[in-house]
Amino acid sequence: MSDPSKPGGGSRFLYEPFECRPADCVPSHKIEANERLAEQRWEALEYRLQAMNSLLERLERRLWLTILGVAGAVLAEAVQSIVSTQ
């Protein structure tokens, strides 16, 4: 039978603890690394929000053009019917 304390298959990185050198495991280095990671995630979030915002602006512009086009067609029909009855 296999030993339950040793996992079978898969990546060794999933089971082995992270090995750090003493210079890398200083708490201030971990904090700085987490701050850099948070900053990168924040920048990625801002980029995606900006992209969504531009898409929404384009959609809003198309919606207004559609509404104005329909209103113009209705007004043109009304004017044409008024002109043709006289």
Side-chain angles (χ1 to χ4, degrees), residues 42-86:
W42 190 258
E43 289 172 3
L45 179 64
E46 286 178 344
Y47 175 78
R48 285 183 293 216
L49 286 174
Q50 184 63 32
M52 283 189 247
N53 192 23
S54 66
L55 287 173
L56 284 174
E57 287 176 0
R58 287 175 48 200
L59 178 64
E60 183 182 11
R61 192 177 311 125
R62 288 179 185 172
L63 207 74
W64 279 112
L65 285 173
T66 303
I67 291 170
L68 291 174
V70 170
V74 169
L75 285 174
E77 286 290 324
V79 169
Q80 188 178 19
S81 67
I82 291 171
V83 170
S84 65
T85 57
Q86 292 178 351

Side-chain angles (χ1 to χ4, degrees), residues 30-47:
K30 289 182 181 180
I31 292 171
E32 289 173 6
N34 282 333
E35 288 174 351
R36 285 193 311 268
L37 182 62
E39 181 66 29
Q40 288 175 352
R41 287 181 176 172
W42 190 258
E43 289 172 3
L45 179 64
E46 286 178 344
Y47 175 78

